[in-house]
Amino acid sequence: MPEGDTVLQTATRLHEALAGQVLTRSDLRVPRFATADLSGRTVLDVTARGKHLLTRIEGGLTLHSHLRMDGAWRVYAPDERWRGGPEHQIRAILANEEHIAVGYRLPVLELLRTSDEDRVVGHLGPDLLGPDWDPGPALDRLRAAPERPLGEALLDQRNLAGIGNVYKCELCFLARVTPWLPVGALPDGALPRLVTLAERLLNANRDRPTRTTTITSELRTPPSPPNATPAQSAPATTPARAPARPRARPPVRVQERLYVYGRARRPCLRCGTPIRLADQDDRPTYWCPGCQSGPTP
């Protein structure tokens, strides 16, 4: 699921493939911009702003895209087979002599003047992965609505930009409160610690291929081998030997990458209580009833 860390990784890949190169092909497959031709223009840079992607192009243009739930950009060599999805899901193609960038399932794709970027990202709060990250304004925005459930407040990109549903669930678990607890009901000092932790988690994952929030492991016992079959019948004069009992297999330590997200009904890594699942604002939300205090559905 695209969140601030994975969007930044996408921006980095696109920047490495496109920046400084002249476009030899452009194809924007949305009705409003279907006739726009960017061929012959140089891509200046690709940057992430929260969960938004801004591809800046010579001539004062910016291609703005947002991945939302399942959008993706893929980069291919000219002779490489495209594997991001069926043809009808392609929304954008940007190519130069060395690389082809293909945008799949992009729910937001628009071409605008670079001077108008504020129209699409100006509402965002401080960017957790941005060079100008400042926790102060983020805390002020979160505290402005003390009655709002914490999970909803963390997802509101106007408060702080980059947190998606996975981080929402993981951050609430690490804060030991449910996502339905009002922001104003957090213990003293908990909100600044939570915002600091959010910045640390996203930065820790900015270069990882797989998102990880855990520092513990879960002990699991692998399934025992099937029972040994009894030996073939021995002569009547020889006492039958009891079938061999299968040897117990030692537990193995399996690294879990997330504490609660996607782990419904599985034991909590800390207390063993089964993880619960419910919707919050139409998003699947995971929490541990043993570790997290606060209201629940």
Side-chain angles (χ1 to χ4, degrees), residues 219-227 245-254:
L219 280 176
R220 291 186 188 166
T221 303
S224 299
N227 291 336
R245 298 180 63 184
R247 298 176 61 184
R249 300 175 65 183
V252 293
R253 192 170 292 274
V254 179

Side-chain angles (χ1 to χ4, degrees), residues 81-263:
R81 180 173 174 267
W82 299 2
R83 302 176 303 278
E87 177 80 10
H88 71 269
Q89 292 183 351
I90 295 175
R91 295 293 177 268
I93 301 171
L94 299 175
N96 55 42
E97 292 184 352
E98 298 180 359
H99 299 98
I100 303 173
V102 184
Y104 293 91
R105 301 172 299 279
L106 301 175
V108 176
L109 184 70
E110 57 181 329
L111 190 63
L112 63 150
R113 304 295 303 180
T114 301
S115 58
D116 293 335
E117 284 181 1
D118 197 57
R119 177 172 61 82
V120 294
V121 296
H123 66 287
L124 297 176
D127 187 346
L128 285 154
L129 292 174
D132 56 349
W133 161 248
D134 183 354
L139 287 168
D140 291 341
R141 297 183 184 205
L142 288 167
R143 288 170 174 152
E147 75 289 346
R148 194 173 189 187
L150 178 61
E152 293 181 13
L154 290 175
L155 283 181
D156 190 338
Q157 303 300 294
R158 296 171 297 181
N159 291 331
L160 65 175
I163 293 177
N165 203 41
V166 176
Y167 279 114
K168 176 199 82 172
C169 296
E170 296 294 295
L171 286 166
C172 288
F173 174 82
L174 291 166
R176 294 183 175 271
V177 297
T178 68
W180 293 271
L181 183 77
V183 172
L186 282 165
D188 290 343
L191 191 60
R193 290 194 297 272
L194 185 62
V195 169
T196 297
L197 180 60
E199 187 269 337
R200 288 179 179 173
L201 277 181
L202 266 75
N203 266 294
N205 284 287
R206 63 187 297 156
D207 297 319
R208 288 175 177 166
T210 304
R211 184 180 296 128
T212 303
T213 63
T214 58
I215 56 173
T216 62
S217 298
E218 181 183 17
L219 280 176
R220 291 186 188 166
T221 303
S224 299
N227 291 336
T229 55
Q232 292 182 345
S233 299
T237 55
T238 305
R241 299 178 61 185
R245 298 180 63 184
R247 298 176 61 184
R249 300 175 65 183
V252 293
R253 192 170 292 274
V254 179
Q255 179 67 39
E256 293 285 344
R257 298 192 178 276
L258 301 173
Y259 281 108
V260 292
Y261 189 87
R263 302 190 68 248

